[in-house]
């Protein structure tokens, strides 16, 4: 009964080069968080990156869509809260 939770804060606002498939395969994150501004001029997060994250992460959070993402733990359980 593995109670380990892996949370990945996705690099560079979810750009095309932020998280390779090989990296995600090895890490096997439970949750991924993309810190990104809504309607930013760079087009982040990249659509391909989001699809790859969704393939390997149980849940993908985006600050442009979900607001603040807060993880709380008692050492055994993990609670995730979003502000939107």
């Amino acid at each position: 009964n593995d109670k380990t939770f892996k949370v990945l804060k996705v690099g560079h606002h979810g750009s095309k080069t932020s998280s390779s498939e090989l990296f995600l395969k090895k890490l096997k994150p439970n949750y991924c968080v993309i810190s990104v501004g809504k309607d930013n001029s760079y087009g982040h997060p990249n659509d391909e990156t989001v699809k790859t994250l969704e393939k390997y992460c149980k849940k993908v959070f985006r600050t442009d869509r979900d607001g603040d993402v807060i993880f709380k733990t008692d050492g055994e359980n993990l609670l995730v809260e979003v502000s939107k």
Side-chain angles (χ1 to χ4, degrees):
N1 191 12
D2 185 11
K3 291 252 182 180
T4 303
F5 296 99
K6 293 181 185 174
V7 178
L8 171 65
K9 189 278 186 189
V10 178
H12 202 251
H13 314 290
S15 70
K16 187 172 184 175
T17 59
S18 66
S19 300
S20 72
E21 192 159 358
L22 178 61
F23 172 71
L24 293 168
K25 260 186 202 180
K26 289 190 182 272
L27 182 62
K28 298 176 185 164
N30 299 92
Y31 302 99
C32 293
V33 180
I34 304 170
S35 178
V36 62
K38 186 173 183 172
D39 300 324
N40 63 81
S41 60
Y42 298 98
H44 293 149
N46 177 273
D47 290 338
E48 286 179 42
T49 299
V50 172
K51 286 178 187 172
T52 303
L53 290 168
E54 289 173 342
K55 183 175 174 183
Y56 292 98
C57 303
K58 291 181 182 175
K59 176 72 176 161
V60 177
F61 295 97
R62 296 171 44 164
T63 58
D64 62 334
R65 181 185 62 204
D66 302 311
D68 296 332
V69 182
I70 301 165
F71 293 88
K72 296 180 180 181
T73 184
D74 62 5
E76 289 190 29
N77 301 295
L78 185 69
L79 175 68
V80 185
E81 297 176 353
V82 295
S83 64
K84 286 189 180 179

